[in-house]
């Protein structure tokens, strides 16, 4: 099997990020697979990497722009990165600043603090990676950079309403990626940008909402990640960016 470049997984401690890390290592297609998390001391992740050559875990507070910049600069001597997958995101729980988050059902539930927290994690952090990854993915090999988005981030597809902060932050993420692809096609023609909707996956992010999901529509991490990697083998830079689901079906922006 041909080894091509390096891979980077952002948000490796979550359910999907951990599975992305595992499956990328299992392919044997990359010289190194680097997993990044704000809290790397997560036993299942550590167990995956402990005895596998080419696996590396890094604890990094990627909410801090200077740390993302420094980290990417340090990786410039590693060689080209041909696959980057960002799994960072938030739907409910608490932000780093202690703001309680939940999908809003009514306008009266909107607050500036919640909106800021949603955008900080779901939009600003991916935007920082988009900026500082550019020198790492430029090169002679084809590269793809993917971000976990969501169907509810589609403006055209929004028929149910609600979930204001999450929807808006994912829609903004989609716009950032669509805009960045224009510039990438000038400066890094080898790079494809992808927004991926993984479906409803059995992770902590979807736990409070799983009762409303049909059993056949509640996916395992293994299934959703395998479908992502399968779709990434088909993407082409000149046709990017992509906004697709686990079946490879296009989602309207």
């Amino acid at each position: 099997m041909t080894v091509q470049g390096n891979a980077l997984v952002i948000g490796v401690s979550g359910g999907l990020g951990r599975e992305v890390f595992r499956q990328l290592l299992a392919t044997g297609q990359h010289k190194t697979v680097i997993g990044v998390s704000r809290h790397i001391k997560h036993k299942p992740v550590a167990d995956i990497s402990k005895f596998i050559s080419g696996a590396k875990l890094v604890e990094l507070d990627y909410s801090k722009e200077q740390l993302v910049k420094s980290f990417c600069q340090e990786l410039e001597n590693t060689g080209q990165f041909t696959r980057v997958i960002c799994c960072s995101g938030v739907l409910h729980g608490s932000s780093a600043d202690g703001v309680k988050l939940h999908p809003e059902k009514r306008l009266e539930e909107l607050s500036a603090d919640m909106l800021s927290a949603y955008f900080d994690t779901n939009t600003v952090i991916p935007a920082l990676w988009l900026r500082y990854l550019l020198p790492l993915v430029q090169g002679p090999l084809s590269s793809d950079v993917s971000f976990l988005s969501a169907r509810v981030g589609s403006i055209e597809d929004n028929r149910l309403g609600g979930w204001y902060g999450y929807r808006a932050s994912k829609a903004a993420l989609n716009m950032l990626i669509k805009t960045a692809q224009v510039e990438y096609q000038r400066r890094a023609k080898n790079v494809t940008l992808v927004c991926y909707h993984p479906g409803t996956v059995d992770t902590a992010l979807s736990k409070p909402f799983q009762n409303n999901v049909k059993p056949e529509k509640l996916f395992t991490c293994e299934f959703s990640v395998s479908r992502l990697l399968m779709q990434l083998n088909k993407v082409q830079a000149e046709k990017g960016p992509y906004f697709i689901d686990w079946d490879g079906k296009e989602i309207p922006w």
Side-chain angles (χ1 to χ4, degrees):
M1 182 176 294
T2 303
V3 176
Q4 294 198 348
N6 305 289
L8 175 65
V9 185
I10 302 158
V12 76
S13 289
L16 280 168
R18 185 164 62 249
E19 183 61 19
V20 168
F21 187 63
R22 188 191 70 79
Q23 289 196 28
L24 287 179
L25 285 168
T27 67
Q29 293 179 346
H30 305 282
K31 291 188 295 184
T32 60
V33 179
I34 301 175
V36 178
S37 175
R38 284 185 277 189
H39 306 287
I40 208 65
K41 295 178 181 178
H42 194 294
K43 190 176 186 300
V45 180
D47 287 347
I48 290 171
S49 65
K50 192 177 296 181
F51 303 109
I52 300 178
S53 176
K56 183 178 180 181
L57 293 173
V58 178
E59 187 168 271
L60 178 75
D61 184 358
Y62 45 72
S63 65
K64 306 291 194 300
E65 180 174 359
Q66 187 56 48
L67 295 181
V68 174
K69 178 181 179 181
S70 298
F71 174 72
C72 289
Q73 288 175 337
E74 290 172 5
L75 290 181
E76 288 184 13
N77 294 326
T78 306
Q80 186 183 350
F81 280 75
T82 54
R83 181 147 294 167
V84 179
I85 301 176
C86 180
C87 304
S88 175
V90 66
L91 174 58
H92 59 86
S94 297
S95 71
D97 297 330
V99 177
K100 300 294 184 182
L101 299 174
H102 65 275
E104 313 93 334
K105 296 180 180 179
R106 304 167 68 238
L107 282 167
E108 286 81 357
E109 296 177 35
L110 282 173
S111 75
D113 286 344
M114 282 181 57
L115 286 172
S116 294
Y118 274 122
F119 273 81
D120 281 346
T121 298
N122 294 337
T123 312
V124 176
I125 286 175
L128 294 179
W129 285 108
L130 269 173
R131 173 182 176 179
Y132 293 111
L133 282 168
L134 181 58
L136 300 180
V137 294
Q138 287 173 317
L141 301 174
S142 295
S143 298
D144 48 75
V145 182
S146 304
F147 296 84
L148 292 190
S149 185
R151 191 182 301 276
V152 297
S154 166
I155 293 176
E156 184 178 335
D157 191 63
N158 183 0
R159 295 177 180 84
L160 296 177
W163 291 35
Y164 288 90
Y166 188 72
R167 282 186 186 274
S169 61
K170 290 295 187 179
L173 168 65
N174 294 344
M175 178 58 81
L176 281 166
I177 293 169
K178 192 167 178 63
T179 303
Q181 183 76 78
V182 176
E183 184 169 352
Y184 267 66
Q185 285 174 339
R186 293 197 302 267
R187 303 175 62 186
K189 293 183 181 294
N190 61 301
V191 181
T192 310
L193 301 182
V194 179
C195 301
Y196 178 66
H197 171 58
T200 303
V201 185
D202 188 10
T203 64
L205 185 140
S206 70
K207 279 292 184 198
F209 316 102
Q210 291 182 7
N211 288 338
N212 300 321
V213 180
K214 295 179 180 178
E216 67 272 17
K217 290 295 185 180
L218 181 61
F219 301 147
T220 64
C221 290
E222 183 178 6
F223 171 82
S224 188
V225 171
S226 67
R227 299 292 290 192
L228 168 61
L229 298 185
M230 182 177 71
Q231 299 306 328
L232 291 181
N233 289 330
K234 304 175 184 179
V235 300
Q236 301 174 43
E238 64 272 16
K239 295 182 180 179
Y242 292 79
F243 184 15
I244 55 175
D245 67 10
W246 66 92
D247 261 343
K249 295 178 181 177
E250 293 185 7
I251 301 172
W253 297 91

